[in-house]
Amino acid sequence: MGEKEINLDVQSPVEFFGVNDSNLEMIRKYFPKLKVIGRGDRIKVIGDEEEIEKFEEKLRLLQLYYEKFGRLLKPDISRLLEADEESADIEMDSSVARDAILHGRHGKLIKARTVNQRKMVDSYRDHDLILAIGPAGTGKTYTAVAMAVRALKDKQVKRIILTRPAVEAGENLGFLPGDLRDKLDPYLQPLYDALRDMLPPQKLLTYLEDGTIEIAPLAFMRGRTLDHAVVILDEAQNASISQLKMFLTRMG
């Protein structure tokens, strides 16, 4: 008889367990020889060592599926728990998964929708630095943030740095109340909007509080070294030449 406690590595354990733990209850039925207890972001398993190993492997597949597709429905659970290892790997590498950048909140599919967005995604795989130029509303910022969030989820990077020059769009906002963050937030709102589409509110708040995701004006980049990170400079056309040089030397 063995006992093991497993930490769930998912965006939202509540969604993963399902409404009233319905997903967890379904998983329990596939492992009748084990006692499975879900608490917060942890699962405690009690039973035979060999059965616990099988449970861990299947739980890993379920977590990967949830992180990739942003949802875990009962048919998905049945398919993954009943499939052998090779079939499950094929499921994870389906054409839908390849086409998508990531699945955002409520299973929303976020993918490159134009030829140039696809070029941007392909360039990200092969290059350390990408310059995206185009008219407003063509998805430059949104696509870049989506690729950054995917890299963070896949543990390719440890953090995301989002920055932009705090420059008004031809209109003087005057004095803004609040502390420094309150004053800067109106300039950085497009970045928050993109992140809200891709991460659950509580997970986003946690990332912002612990510095995993940092949103800051370009003026705060001087003197920093940004490694193991995706760094996005939004609205770079508003930066001066000296600011651009400073930003480029922050990387590496």
Side-chain angles (χ1 to χ4, degrees):
M1 182 71 70
E3 181 179 314
K4 186 156 191 179
E5 195 169 85
I6 305 166
N7 287 328
L8 284 177
D9 187 18
V10 294
Q11 292 181 37
S12 173
V14 175
E15 284 185 6
F16 183 83
F17 284 144
V19 178
N20 296 324
D21 287 348
S22 56
N23 290 348
L24 182 61
E25 192 58 42
M26 188 173 182
I27 294 168
R28 283 190 183 115
K29 289 178 181 176
Y30 278 89
F31 295 92
K33 297 178 183 177
L34 295 176
K35 184 176 182 181
V36 181
I37 305 163
R39 290 286 184 274
D41 61 350
R42 297 180 180 184
I43 291 181
K44 188 176 184 179
V45 195
I46 303 169
D48 182 69
E49 295 282 358
E50 192 174 329
E51 283 292 308
I52 290 175
E53 282 183 22
K54 290 178 185 176
F55 178 86
E56 273 193 284
E57 182 59 32
K58 289 298 184 181
L59 185 66
R60 182 187 66 82
L61 284 173
L62 292 172
Q63 289 182 88
L64 287 172
Y65 187 91
Y66 175 75
E67 285 299 299
K68 187 177 283 286
F69 293 99
R71 70 176 197 277
L72 189 63
L73 306 177
K74 287 181 173 59
D76 303 326
I77 295 171
S78 296
R79 193 165 58 250
L80 289 168
L81 292 181
E82 291 171 5
D84 56 35
E85 192 171 335
E86 187 176 339
S87 301
D89 286 341
I90 291 170
E91 174 76 21
M92 297 302 297
D93 292 328
S94 66
S95 59
V96 174
R98 284 197 302 271
D99 290 343
I101 299 175
L102 81 155
H103 285 74
R105 293 178 61 195
H106 312 300
K108 178 182 178 180
L109 179 64
I110 297 170
K111 63 179 182 178
R113 298 185 180 277
T114 66
V115 173
N116 285 330
Q117 285 180 14
R118 289 190 193 99
K119 285 181 182 176
M120 191 172 168
V121 173
D122 292 339
S123 296
Y124 172 79
R125 296 191 188 105
D126 302 323
H127 300 91
D128 291 331
L129 175 66
I130 303 170
L131 301 178
I133 302 169
T138 50
K140 301 182 297 296
T141 300
Y142 197 84
T143 304
V145 172
M147 291 189 294
V149 171
R150 184 183 68 181
L152 184 64
K153 283 185 176 181
D154 292 346
K155 295 182 170 55
Q156 296 171 358
V157 296
K158 294 179 181 177
R159 54 185 176 151
I160 299 172
I161 312 290
L162 306 172
T163 183
R164 62 185 295 176
V167 177
E168 295 153 344
E171 184 177 354
N172 190 350
L173 298 178
F175 174 77
L176 295 173
D179 60 18
L180 184 61
R181 181 169 178 173
D182 293 331
K183 294 176 191 295
L184 294 169
D185 273 356
Y187 300 102
L188 306 173
Q189 202 59 48
L191 301 174
Y192 286 112
D193 292 341
L195 287 169
R196 288 190 189 105
D197 264 4
M198 300 169 198
L199 292 167
Q202 191 56 48
K203 192 71 171 179
L204 176 56
L205 185 62
T206 301
Y207 280 156
L208 289 169
E209 285 178 350
D210 67 14
T212 301
I213 295 178
E214 183 179 345
I215 303 178
L218 183 57
F220 287 6
M221 291 294 106
R222 189 173 299 279
R224 300 187 60 184
T225 299
L226 307 174
D227 54 354
H228 304 296
V230 174
V231 189
I232 299 173
L233 173 56
D234 192 30
E235 302 292 347
Q237 76 276 5
N238 292 327
S240 66
I241 297 297
S242 61
Q243 283 179 319
L244 288 173
K245 285 181 179 178
M246 178 269 292
F247 175 75
L248 288 170
T249 55
R250 297 308 92 207
M251 296 183 289

